[in-house]
């Protein structure tokens, strides 16, 4: 029985390492998405600045067209002034000309504001482009490291799984079935010691007879509470601590 327990302990060690590697691999995708997300966020920031800069430039050009339209109106009104002989019409046209000039002044003020915005956005775009480029390069480096780590974990997992297959082939089928069932239900703590007279899995205190049976190692002993497979080593203390 001691040999069976030793085989199961080795198998349990492999299963623990396999589970640990699988847990590590499960965390790789969230890490990958985090790296990609950071780079995408900085790129989105750059795109937003560029979009805003294009809109400001478009608005500025529209103002230029409005100014040009007003100037053309002034030219027409001036021509009509030259042609009219009526004072009333002349004064009305003069008023229209003054109105257009006032509108042009307002439009030019808006143009100046937009030019200032464009200058600010240009500086922001340069900084955002620098940040996006740095984030992209950092993400590429991190993703390469992640890919290398993933491949290393895959290789280790393949080797462990191959070794596990060899180990299971050397365990009796009924014992292996019990172990596998416990592994599925209890996780990686299946074969446990009984130090201080309690189960190493659920910490249930055992009766003396069960402790004697476990120490004799003539048959497989399981915890009556959780069903885990029990084992005893000379270094363990069978007596419960005070």
């Amino acid at each position: 029985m001691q040999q069976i327990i030793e085989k199961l302990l080795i198998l349990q060690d492999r299963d623990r390492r396999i589970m640990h590697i699988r847990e590590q691999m499960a965390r790789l995708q969230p890490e990958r998405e985090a790296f990609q997300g950071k780079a995408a966020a900085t790129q989105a920031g750059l795109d937003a600045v560029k979009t805003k800069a294009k809109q400001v430039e478009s608005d500025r050009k529209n103002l230029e067209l409005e100014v040009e339209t007003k100037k053309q109106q002034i030219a027409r009104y001036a021509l009509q002034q030259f042609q009219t002989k009526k004072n009333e019409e002349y004064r009305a046209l003069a008023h229209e000309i003054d109105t257009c000039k006032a509108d042009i002044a307002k439009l030019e003020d808006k143009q100046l504001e937009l030019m200032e915005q464009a200058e600010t956005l240009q500086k922001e775009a340069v900084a955002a482009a620098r940040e996006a480029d740095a984030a992209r390069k950092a993400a590429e480096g991190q993703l390469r490291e992640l890919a290398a780590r993933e491949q290393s974990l895959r290789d280790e997992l393949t080797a462990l799984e191959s070794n596990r297959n060899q180990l299971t082939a050397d365990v009796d089928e009924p014992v292996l079935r019990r172990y596998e069932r416990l592994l599925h239900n209890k996780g990686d703590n299946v074969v446990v010691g009984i130090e201080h007279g309690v189960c190493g899995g659920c910490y249930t205190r055992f009766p003396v007879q069960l402790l004697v049976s476990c120490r004799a190692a003539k048959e497989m002993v399981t915890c009556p509470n959780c069903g885990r497979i029990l084992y005893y080593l000379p270094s363990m203390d069978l007596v419960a601590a005070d």
Side-chain angles (χ1 to χ4, degrees), residues 3-223:
Q3 290 182 348
I4 293 175
I5 293 296
E6 289 175 358
K7 290 177 182 179
L8 290 179
L9 286 171
I10 295 173
L11 179 59
Q12 179 172 256
D13 175 71
R14 298 299 181 277
D15 284 328
R16 285 174 174 171
R17 290 168 63 185
I18 288 172
M19 288 180 184
H20 179 64
I21 290 175
R22 286 176 177 167
E23 288 172 358
Q24 287 182 285
M25 292 180 69
R27 291 194 292 267
L28 293 179
Q29 185 57 27
E31 286 186 52
R32 184 178 290 110
E33 291 174 356
F35 296 147
Q36 294 170 334
K38 186 174 181 180
T42 55
Q43 182 61 45
L46 173 60
D47 293 341
V49 173
K50 287 182 175 179
T51 299
K52 190 173 181 179
K54 287 181 180 178
Q55 184 60 51
V56 167
E57 180 62 18
S58 176
D59 292 343
R60 190 186 66 79
K61 289 182 177 179
N62 288 335
L63 289 177
E64 284 184 353
L65 293 175
E66 289 187 50
V67 169
E68 185 60 30
T69 300
K70 293 294 181 182
K71 288 180 178 179
Q72 291 173 3
Q73 287 178 343
I74 289 173
R76 287 197 301 271
Y77 293 147
L79 179 60
Q80 290 174 18
Q81 271 187 322
F82 178 77
Q83 294 173 341
T84 186
K85 294 180 180 180
K86 296 179 180 179
N87 289 335
E88 249 181 59
E89 288 184 6
Y90 187 90
R91 285 193 296 271
L93 291 168
H95 176 71
E96 292 296 335
I97 289 172
D98 289 341
T99 300
C100 285
K101 287 180 178 179
D103 290 342
I104 288 173
K106 291 178 182 178
L107 291 170
E108 287 177 341
D109 287 342
K110 290 181 180 178
Q111 280 183 297
L112 287 174
E113 290 177 7
L114 290 176
M115 289 172 67
E116 290 175 358
Q117 287 184 36
E119 186 177 350
T120 300
L121 288 170
Q122 185 178 12
K123 293 178 181 178
E124 289 180 6
V126 171
R130 192 182 299 114
E131 183 182 1
D133 185 59
R136 177 183 57 79
K137 290 179 180 178
E140 288 174 352
Q142 290 164 332
L143 290 172
R144 283 194 297 271
E145 291 178 6
L146 202 63
R149 180 149 53 99
E150 183 176 29
Q151 187 57 54
S152 176
L153 288 171
R154 287 187 185 281
D155 292 343
E156 187 177 358
L157 181 62
T158 298
L160 286 170
E161 288 177 338
S162 176
N163 180 244
R164 186 186 193 280
N165 290 335
Q166 296 173 1
L167 292 172
T168 56
D170 198 32
V171 179
D172 291 342
E173 187 63 28
V175 175
L176 181 61
R177 281 201 304 270
R178 173 177 289 187
Y179 171 84
E180 297 280 9
R181 184 170 62 253
L182 287 168
L183 185 69
H184 177 74
N185 294 328
K186 306 294 184 182
D188 62 3
N189 197 29
V190 172
V191 187
V192 298
I194 57 168
E195 192 163 6
H196 298 307
V198 299
C199 173
C202 68
Y203 307 107
T204 297
R205 188 181 303 278
F206 296 134
V208 175
Q209 185 58 44
L210 188 143
L211 299 177
V212 171
S213 298
C214 193
R215 185 171 186 174
K218 293 181 178 179
E219 59 182 358
M220 181 175 292
V221 181
T222 60
C223 174

